Amino acid sequence: MKTKVFLVFLLGILATTGSTCINEGFLVAVNLPIEQCFTINAGPNLGFSGSIVIKLADEIDASYLDDIKSARFYDIRIRTTGTYNGTVNVEGKIDGVSLVKTTAAWPWSDFATPQSLLGSSTKLTFDSLGVKQIVTKLNQFKTDPNTTMTLSTNGTLAGQSPVPGGLGICLEILAQVDAEVE
Amino acid sequence: MKPSHNRLLRTILLCAMVCVFVANGATAQTDLEKALQQYSAQTVSGYIQPVADLFGADMHAGYYHNAWIPKSGFHLDFDIIVMGSIVQDAQKFYNAQAPAGFDPATFKTATIFGGKGTVISFRGLEYKGSDGIFNTSIFPLAVPQLRIGSLYGSDLTFRFVRIPEITDNKLPAITLWGLGVRHSISQYFSKSPVDVAVGGYFNSFTVGDLMDFKGFAVNAQASKTLSILILYGGIAYESSTMGLQYTSTDPLLPPAVDIEMDGANNVRFTVGAGLSLGILKIFADANFGSITNFSGGIGFGW
């Protein structure tokens, strides 16, 4: 009998600890990178453009989709891939709304390291309407996992022609969602 | 033991495991993985390091409650040990890396034992750390152990728990085992006022494919029997390692995470007391080191 009482006592301690030890509805901060790299065609044409529709749900693990409590973005970046001995002038849009533009024709190589909103890049200017559109879409994503964003870029190169192969320009929106784990 | 006692023991063990690794009683491993999968090998260590520290200290607790070892003859003890490491305030926060461009580059946010994740703000942009998972001031574990002796003043101690995988509830198989050997030193000194022994121990604990803990300890232990009261204590050197393996779901990060973290506790001082009531033993001790740990239990000895 004593043994049983003692075991029940131990069980009580552990069960009490165990039942309260998990933070109810804790939030996991899930990175939601929304990015697209557009290939610039090789050849004599110095202008480029591209567009793609991104389903936000495809950018995070499906297990987080059911309980997204909040969403935010923390950076917008433009970077280049490949080598080009000239300049680039580019505009990035979200859902057809201007989001980011270069302030002038800057050397392509300047964008080999991402230029960003967070870094207060002097080579870029950000449009508040485009920023507002990101916020709108992220808020929509909290309740609608089918939310999509259309990212597009257009611009021109100068200084080297024909355009060599292997060039790309990437538009990145770095976001986070808070997924509740119940 | 009676069947009812067996059920109780199983429940106790399961409760301890649940608290440690199971959220909402059944899906903890999944939840734990979901929380961890957003971390890279470089960033997860700060978040989960306290588990390595606290569990490492738990694993080595409760191995002895008496340093007396007969020179020879058959002796069998069965103990149920419950141990818990104290979660210190410092283990509820860590310095996480902020995304490139944020100033400052690091920020203090919740570990797995913390509360809400910290939100940092820079130039109107915000970034957040994950919330903690466990809200507890003590990190518990329970194990059964069997001690068999004696031969040349030595005995062996075994610990083993296996909870099979429960597929429906996504609880992975949990296996804990430990092995220890002790040798009496005081047997060589007939006038020794206290019983003295030395021991060496190895422990292993695995949680599915996600986590595994391994550790060893060597100790010197002493005890003094005063009628039914046994006072005991010791000093130990120990080492523990937690391995963590999972696939990160963050597309910005390398997917494979396979890291090892060392537990904080290396030196342990133990003081404890027990009662010997015939075949029934009741004991409790406190363990001091980098981690403060308490253990206690009940034993049946023949």
Side-chain angles (χ1 to χ4, degrees):
Chain A
M1 184 62 189
K2 283 180 181 175
T3 309
K4 192 169 184 177
V5 170
F6 188 72
L7 288 173
V8 169
F9 173 69
L10 292 179
L11 175 61
I13 292 172
L14 286 168
T16 304
T17 311
S19 64
T20 61
C21 69
I22 306 297
N23 285 324
E24 184 125 355
F26 65 88
L27 298 177
V28 178
V30 180
N31 285 327
L32 171 63
I34 307 161
E35 63 175 325
Q36 186 59 39
C37 290
F38 300 95
T39 301
I40 299 175
N41 293 327
N45 188 357
L46 296 178
F48 61 89
S49 65
S51 180
I52 189 165
V53 178
I54 295 175
K55 186 178 180 183
L56 300 191
D58 292 341
E59 305 303 311
I60 60 174
D61 191 79
S63 63
Y64 299 115
L65 290 175
D66 291 339
D67 282 299
I68 295 175
K69 297 300 177 189
S70 56
R72 69 190 72 82
F73 78 95
Y74 61 88
D75 206 0
I76 301 167
R77 306 196 301 194
I78 285 189
R79 64 182 171 89
T80 56
T81 59
T83 303
Y84 180 70
N85 295 318
T87 62
V88 60
N89 207 330
V90 63
E91 178 180 22
K93 295 180 179 177
I94 170 174
D95 298 334
V97 179
S98 180
L99 175 64
V100 56
K101 286 180 191 172
T102 44
T103 53
W106 293 100
W108 176 269
S109 58
D110 286 359
F111 293 84
T113 300
Q115 299 293 313
S116 72
L117 174 63
L118 197 54
S120 291
S121 172
T122 56
K123 297 178 172 62
L124 298 175
T125 179
F126 297 88
D127 192 313
S128 60
L129 288 177
V131 170
K132 193 175 174 184
Q133 183 64 14
I134 295 175
V135 174
T136 299
K137 282 299 176 77
L138 289 177
N139 284 332
Q140 183 183 326
F141 185 49
K142 287 190 287 185
T143 54
D144 179 8
N146 294 316
T147 300
T148 61
M149 277 185 188
T150 302
L151 296 185
S152 55
T153 61
N154 63 79
T156 54
L157 303 176
Q160 181 186 356
S161 184
V163 176
L167 299 188
I169 192 148
C170 304
L171 175 59
E172 302 172 336
I173 300 168
L174 301 181
Q176 271 189 314
V177 296
D178 295 330
E180 186 177 57
V181 179
E182 294 179 341
Chain B
M1 286 207 302
K2 294 178 181 177
S4 59
H5 291 178
N6 275 324
R7 282 198 300 274
L8 276 169
L9 175 58
R10 283 174 60 87
T11 309
I12 287 171
L13 298 175
L14 195 56
C15 277
M17 303 305 179
V18 161
C19 184
V20 176
F21 291 107
V22 181
N24 288 338
T27 60
Q29 199 268 346
T30 300
D31 293 345
L32 184 60
E33 278 190 308
K34 283 169 77 172
L36 296 181
Q37 280 171 341
Q38 281 304 302
Y39 290 95
S40 68
Q42 287 72 38
T43 57
V44 73
S45 56
Y47 184 72
I48 203 168
Q49 178 68 46
V51 172
D53 296 339
L54 299 170
F55 196 87
D58 273 346
M59 277 202 311
H60 297 300
Y63 259 110
Y64 65 92
H65 41 90
N66 190 339
W68 177 74
I69 305 170
K71 279 188 177 178
S72 61
F74 179 72
H75 298 272
L76 185 68
D77 291 289
F78 175 74
D79 300 332
I80 300 164
I81 313 289
V82 178
M83 57 280 271
S85 293
I86 303 299
V87 181
Q88 300 160 24
D89 286 344
Q91 289 170 316
K92 296 180 178 177
F93 299 96
Y94 77 109
N95 283 321
Q97 193 75 34
F102 270 90
D103 186 18
T106 61
F107 65 108
K108 193 174 176 182
T109 189
T111 66
I112 197 167
F113 289 103
K116 296 292 182 189
T118 303
V119 178
I120 54 170
S121 182
F122 182 63
R123 292 178 179 151
L125 300 167
E126 291 186 336
Y127 185 81
K128 184 179 179 295
S130 287
D131 293 348
I133 299 176
F134 298 115
N135 176 21
T136 180
S137 55
I138 191 163
F139 192 69
L141 179 68
V143 292
Q145 73 181 17
L146 197 64
R147 187 177 304 105
I148 301 173
S150 304
L151 191 62
Y152 300 110
S154 302
D155 62 19
L156 293 172
T157 306
F158 302 96
R159 290 177 169 182
F160 183 78
V161 179
R162 177 167 171 80
I163 299 174
E165 182 178 353
I166 303 171
T167 306
D168 290 346
N169 294 329
K170 300 176 183 176
L171 176 65
I174 293 173
T175 305
L176 180 152
W177 65 270
L179 176 64
V181 59
R182 298 193 305 167
H183 183 71
S184 171
I185 301 300
S186 50
Q187 68 174 322
Y188 303 113
F189 305 94
S190 58
K191 293 182 179 176
S192 174
V194 295
D195 296 305
V196 178
V198 292
Y201 304 88
F202 177 81
N203 294 287
S204 171
F205 184 94
T206 57
V207 182
D209 297 326
L210 179 66
M211 287 181 177
D212 65 275
F213 296 81
K214 286 185 171 49
F216 73 90
V218 290
N219 64 30
Q221 47 196 263
S223 69
K224 178 74 175 176
T225 301
L226 304 166
S227 182
I228 62 168
L229 176 67
I230 301 169
L231 301 175
Y232 64 95
I235 183 171
Y237 173 80
E238 63 192 46
S239 174
S240 62
T241 302
M242 180 177 85
L244 190 62
Q245 301 88 27
Y246 61 90
T247 301
S248 174
T249 56
D250 189 332
L252 296 175
L253 305 172
V257 175
D258 186 355
I259 59 171
E260 288 195 342
M261 284 171 277
D262 292 332
N265 221 39
N266 288 126
V267 177
R268 173 192 299 253
F269 296 95
T270 300
V271 291
L275 294 175
S276 180
L277 308 169
I279 65 165
L280 177 66
K281 326 283 182 192
I282 299 171
F283 45 87
D285 54 58
N287 300 271
F288 304 100
S290 299
I291 304 296
T292 301
N293 177 282
F294 297 95
S295 75
I298 186 169
F300 306 91
W302 290 271

